[in-house]
């Protein structure tokens, strides 16, 4: 049989699946950089500053360290075996089908709820610009446009995300440079008495609300880091998955240091942490206003809108790829695991966005009951995902070393001690959340645990039913074989 040469224009299937390698290196680089910058950084940082003061820097540093360590573990597994299911597929192999099933569906649930949250946030901004179009219509328009983008090809998703993430990166880089110049008194037109490093200690000290506020700050900022793992899912549809994962993993340290710690340091240095402007206008808008930059609010609204659209775009991509992986492994309807001719998991995309539309409806119809339940019950999923990654890596390292040690191109530092320490820190954060009644931490953990328990029950029932069918098939097989032997014996005797 003569082998046919593969056309370069037709992207190869990834891992024998129907997905295609349609993401370019520049797409992956920007997805990796932009993925760690969520809209929560711009919107949610003001509450963290109000709670912990300048000490919020320690909260961000603590969570940032946690993310770096978790991403290192995920990078180790994903570089050895790039797949669209990422940590769910790794958990499937390392811990069992129940683990891959449970964390995969919980992660999908998290992102389809995020679709509704981000669509609504974007609609609020757009309605402010064009009030003739109602808010619900803007949410619908945004969802439809980005769904269409994802349905065209993975390349179109990559292109949109390249520009969305690019705007975020340029905006934060410019903010850090301009703000930094102002802090050191080399930017004209800024009140030097207000801006300066003295703001870090001059208003009640670095920890005005005590050391305990650092942990409360952790609870407020931890969820703004969700999305750093998207690069490992997207790498499965790149031309060189191993290289893409390795690059994304190695760059996570400077991404967290620059974009999170750098920008927050500028904010709390430009203004006193207890400034009313931070609470009323938001931390970044207040910081820009203090520099005398005209239309600071509108500039920040544009950047936040870009972040919202980026999060929506990536959320739909991520949810659909997780659904696709679950379908491929038999943990979701078979249709989820099928792709179109250009490698798009259309059914998985449409199913994900359909739930997103339902969640948007709940947000407008039952915002304080059904939708609030959805948001709270998916809130701790990020921590569950990180915990599963820790336990998966503990097992997968031994599997990789035994089967293909040459694939260990990315290694977790100080294995297994640092992995165990990371897992212990995540459990501690979850435990501390149970003591938090002021910011709904307890409610979030308890409702998330309830949903996780329900998914786990489904997983174990499914596994037990599958095992029962397997046993029945194994019992039936020898019987059929005996019958065939008996039949052959009769023929021979006759």
């Amino acid at each position: 049989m003569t082998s046919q040469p593969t056309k370069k224009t037709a992207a190869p299937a990834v891992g024998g699946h129907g997905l295609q390698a349609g993401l370019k290196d520049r797409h992956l680089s920007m997805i990796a950089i932009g993925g760690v910058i969520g809209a929560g950084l711009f919107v949610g940082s003001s509450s963290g500053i109000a709670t912990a003061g300048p000490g919020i820097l320690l909260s961000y540093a603590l969570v940032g360290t946690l993310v770096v360590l978790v991403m290192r573990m995920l990078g180790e597994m994903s570089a050895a075996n790039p797949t669209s299911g990422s940590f769910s597929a790794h958990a499937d192999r390392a811990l069992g089908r129940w683990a891959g099933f449970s964390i995969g569906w919980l992660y999908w649930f998290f992102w389809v709820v995020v679709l509704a949250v981000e669509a609504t946030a974007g609609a609020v901004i757009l309605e402010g610009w064009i009030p003739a179009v109602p808010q619900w219509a803007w949410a619908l328009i945004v969802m439809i446009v980005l769904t269409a983008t994802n349905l065209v090809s993975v390349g179109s998703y990559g292109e949109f995300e390249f520009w969305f993430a690019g705007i975020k990166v340029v905006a934060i880089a410019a903010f850090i440079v301009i703000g930094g110049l102002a802090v050191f008194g080399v930017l004209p037109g800024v009140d030097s008495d207000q801006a300066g490093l003295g703001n870090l200690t001059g208003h009640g000290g670095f920890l005005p609300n005590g050391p305990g506020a650092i942990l409360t700050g952790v609870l407020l900022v931890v969820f703004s880091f969700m999305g750093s793992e998207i690069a490992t899912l997207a790498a499965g549809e790149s031309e060189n998955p191993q290289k893409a994962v390795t690059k994304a993993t190695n760059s996570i340290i400077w991404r967290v240091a620059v974009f999170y710690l750098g920008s927050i340091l500028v904010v709390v240095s430009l203004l006193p942490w207890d400034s009313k402007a931070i609470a009323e206008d938001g931390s970044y808008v207040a910081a820009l206003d203090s520099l005398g930059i005209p239309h600071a609010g509108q500039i920040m609204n544009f950047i936040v809108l870009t972040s919202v659209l980026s999060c929506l775009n990536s959320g739909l991509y991520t949810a659909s790829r997780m659904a696709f992986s679950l379908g491929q492994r038999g943990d979701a309807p078979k249709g989820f695991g099928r792709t179109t001719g250009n490698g798009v998991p259309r059914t998985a995309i449409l199913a994900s966005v359909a739930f997103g539309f339902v969640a948007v409806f709940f947000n407008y119809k039952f915002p304080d009951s059904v939708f609030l339940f959805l948001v709270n019950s998916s809130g701790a999923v990020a921590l569950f995902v990180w915990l599963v990654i820790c336990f998966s890596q503990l097992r997968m390292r031994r599997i990789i070393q035994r089967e293909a040690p040459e694939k260990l191109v990315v290694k977790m530092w100080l294995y297994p001690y640092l992995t165990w320490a990371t897992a212990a820190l995540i459990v501690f954060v979850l435990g501390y959340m149970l003591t938090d009644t002021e910011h709904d931490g307890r409610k979030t953990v308890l409702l998330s645990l309830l949903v996780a328990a329900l998914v786990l029950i489904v997983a174990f029932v499914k596994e037990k039913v599958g095992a029962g069918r397997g046993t029945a098939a194994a019992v039936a097989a020898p019987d059929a074989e005996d019958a065939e032997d008996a039949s052959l014996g009769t023929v021979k005797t006759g």
Side-chain angles (χ1 to χ4, degrees), residues 49 52-58 199-203 205-208 264 268 273:
I49 292 171
I56 194 65
L57 287 166
L58 297 180
N199 283 325
L200 296 176
T201 56
H203 299 268
F206 185 70
L207 296 171
I264 294 297
V268 294
W273 70 271

Side-chain angles (χ1 to χ4, degrees), residues 8 38 54 113 120 177 214 299 305 353 370 401 404 437 458:
K8 260 192 169 181
V113 172
T120 304
V177 171
I214 297 172
I299 292 171
L305 178 63
V353 81
V370 180
Q401 284 178 324
T437 54
V458 173

Side-chain angles (χ1 to χ4, degrees), residues 288-309:
L288 288 175
D289 275 333
S290 74
L291 300 178
I293 295 176
H295 310 295
Q298 292 304 321
I299 292 171
M300 190 49 60
N301 273 339
F302 173 73
I303 295 169
V304 171
L305 178 63
T306 303
S307 296
V308 163
L309 294 176

Side-chain angles (χ1 to χ4, degrees), residues 226-242:
M226 193 64 168
S228 53
E229 72 291 334
I230 292 174
T232 62
L233 281 92
E237 292 176 82
S238 68
E239 294 172 354
N240 191 336
Q242 190 178 73

